Amino acid sequence: MNSNFIKALVIGGLIFTSCDKDDENVAPVVTVQKTDVVSNYADIVLANYEDALADAKSLDASIQSFTAQPTEASLKTAKDAWLKSRESYGQTEAFRFANGPIDDADGPEGLLNAWPLDENYIDYVTGKDDSGIINNPTDYPAIDAATLESLNEAGSETNISIGYHAIEFLLWGQDNTAPSEKKAGLRPYTDFVDGGTAKYQGRRRDYLKVCSGLLIKHLQMMVDEWKVGGPYRKIFLAQNSDTAIKNMLTAIAILSKSELGGERMFVAYDNQDQEDEHSCFSDNTHRDIRQNLAGIANVFRGKYGTVDGKSIEDLILVANPMLGAKISNQLVAAEQAVEATAVPFDFAISDATERAKVLAAVKALQDLGDKFVEGGTALGLTISSELPE
């Protein structure tokens, strides 16, 4: 055998390269233990959810201050805190579609980030001053956690009563401006002031506070599941490594191709409708998209914040170096394409010049999802990039 020939082997849970020991010029042996990849992923998930929880607590503090004394300044502080909270939570979307606790029967995903939201289910909208739970004390006398949680998606999947986007709508109100104006919703702070611009100011303040408190509750559930010694973390680390890696890779393949590239971007692009945006009230959809992709990159590269360990990228590079390089390059291409899209997203999907960049980003994300499927095949795993029915 030629002494410079390197064989890539997959044996049990260990992937490694080997070469003749008497060759002084060969590359060093590279080893990637699948259990290390799985363990590192669990650390990433926990760290990301801990950040999301911390940001939700900061948001809650700003909402408590705003509702105690509503002013233009305190409303802006609350909005800024919401925007910051989306930076960390947006990356956790890469943990969806992985048979994990966020999506299971008791999982809180629909209570955290459900959309699109029919805003007149919550509060008044243009032309309907009396619409929504807030303006209906007869049917909904209590604005409390149990009531609002029970009303989430009641009767329709767009009847979203709680979560990030309910808070977003309460802070910004409807975005009724033209996309070319590049303005978000313009709800006045006086909607929360007794005797102010809209009825039921006290119920509106209570509604906002309850939603904020529920955000903390549901994120705490995820931290508790994934913490060291947590119930799901034990299950995750104890399962077969191939099963765990299949779930991890399936999650980012689906998010990249079908959910982000499809549902969150192409649908809005195709319809040219800002109502199809993920964060249509705040005009923050461009950040949602970028952070969702950052979450995909975190999982693939095995890095998040101070967490940095063995990754899916490492596994594929050892199993099939050429394919691994292609997938890594496609991820970079997707990052560049997404970064090139205009801000805000409703402008990007409506402006004749900018629309082509959105479509290019969609294609790059969908190609990335397909590449992840190929990566799974290289590891002996069957991966799907399609949303489950």
Side-chain angles (χ1 to χ4, degrees):
M1 181 181 72
N2 187 315
S3 60
N4 291 319
F5 179 70
I6 298 175
K7 295 188 297 180
L9 302 175
V10 182
I11 300 179
L14 181 64
I15 290 186
F16 61 92
T17 62
S18 64
C19 55
D20 287 354
K21 294 180 180 179
D22 58 356
D23 192 331
E24 297 178 355
N25 298 316
V26 298
V29 172
V30 178
T31 63
V32 183
Q33 190 77 25
K34 288 182 179 180
T35 52
D36 289 342
V37 175
V38 173
S39 177
N40 186 58
Y41 174 84
D43 291 341
I44 288 172
V45 176
L46 176 61
N48 199 165
Y49 276 129
E50 285 178 333
D51 285 349
L53 176 59
D55 288 341
K57 289 179 177 178
S58 296
L59 171 60
D60 182 67
S62 70
I63 284 174
Q64 295 295 335
S65 295
F66 167 61
T67 53
Q69 189 172 1
T71 65
E72 192 70 53
S74 60
L75 176 58
K76 183 180 185 305
T77 298
K79 288 179 176 179
D80 289 344
W82 185 90
L83 293 171
K84 184 177 185 298
S85 74
R86 294 295 290 174
E87 294 292 293
S88 53
Y89 186 80
Q91 295 177 61
T92 72
E93 289 288 271
F95 314 139
R96 293 198 56 211
F97 315 115
N99 290 323
I102 185 66
D103 287 318
D104 67 21
D106 299 319
E109 198 284 327
L111 304 171
L112 282 165
N113 199 39
W115 71 286
L117 179 152
D118 182 358
E119 53 265 45
N120 70 190
Y121 183 62
I122 294 175
D123 198 3
Y124 78 89
V125 295
T126 300
K128 295 182 179 180
D129 293 343
D130 297 320
S131 67
I133 297 165
I134 287 172
N135 295 289
N136 189 356
T138 300
D139 292 335
Y140 311 110
I143 299 293
D144 56 30
T147 299
L148 296 191
E149 190 167 343
S150 72
L151 291 173
N152 196 61
E153 297 186 348
S156 170
E157 62 180 11
T158 63
N159 285 347
I160 310 301
S161 58
I162 58 175
Y164 282 101
H165 298 296
I167 295 172
E168 177 195 9
F169 171 56
L170 288 169
L171 292 175
W172 273 272
Q174 287 179 291
D175 180 5
N176 291 322
T177 59
S180 59
E181 295 183 61
K182 300 183 180 181
K183 292 181 180 179
L186 300 172
R187 183 192 289 275
Y189 78 89
T190 49
D191 275 7
F192 296 86
V193 177
D194 289 335
T197 48
K199 297 183 295 183
Y200 300 114
Q201 299 90 354
R203 284 171 62 85
R204 191 168 292 108
R205 293 194 299 268
D206 290 343
Y207 201 115
L208 186 56
K209 288 187 288 185
V210 169
C211 283
S212 182
L214 285 171
L215 208 62
I216 293 172
K217 170 189 171 183
H218 296 133
L219 287 170
Q220 184 68 60
M221 288 171 59
M222 292 299 93
V223 170
D224 290 344
E225 289 281 359
W226 283 98
K227 68 184 179 183
V228 176
Y232 187 75
R233 189 187 184 99
K234 290 180 180 178
I235 294 170
F236 181 75
L237 296 178
Q239 69 184 325
N240 179 277
S241 293
D242 279 339
T243 300
I245 292 167
K246 176 179 179 177
N247 287 336
M248 293 156 56
L249 195 46
T250 295
I252 59 174
I254 290 174
L255 179 57
S256 184
K257 181 177 183 177
S258 299
E259 181 68 18
L260 182 55
E263 294 293 324
R264 301 187 183 189
M265 291 185 69
F266 183 74
V267 170
Y269 164 87
D270 197 37
N271 294 338
Q272 298 188 56
D273 189 350
Q274 63 185 21
E275 286 295 312
D276 292 322
E277 282 191 88
H278 203 173
S279 296
C280 65
F281 311 114
S282 61
D283 269 357
N284 194 54
T285 303
H286 65 286
R287 291 305 303 165
D288 291 333
I289 293 167
R290 286 157 174 77
Q291 293 309 98
N292 290 172
L293 180 54
I296 291 169
N298 296 342
V299 171
F300 183 69
R301 294 171 177 152
K303 300 177 182 180
Y304 174 81
T306 60
V307 180
D308 186 354
K310 297 301 182 182
S311 66
I312 295 173
E313 182 176 37
D314 294 331
L315 289 175
I316 299 173
L317 282 169
V318 171
N320 187 329
M322 186 175 293
L323 176 61
K326 287 181 179 179
I327 298 173
S328 298
N329 290 339
Q330 185 59 44
L331 174 54
V332 173
E335 290 171 325
Q336 293 172 342
V338 164
E339 192 59 38
T341 58
V343 176
F345 187 66
D346 60 355
F347 172 71
I349 61 174
S350 60
D351 182 80
T353 302
E354 298 297 336
R355 280 175 54 78
K357 297 176 185 177
V358 176
L359 189 58
V362 167
K363 185 178 187 306
L365 287 165
Q366 294 182 335
D367 288 347
L368 178 60
D370 288 337
K371 284 296 179 188
F372 286 147
V373 172
E374 292 182 40
T377 300
L379 298 177
L381 306 173
T382 301
I383 305 299
S384 174
S385 58
E386 305 298 327
L387 281 165
E389 295 182 0

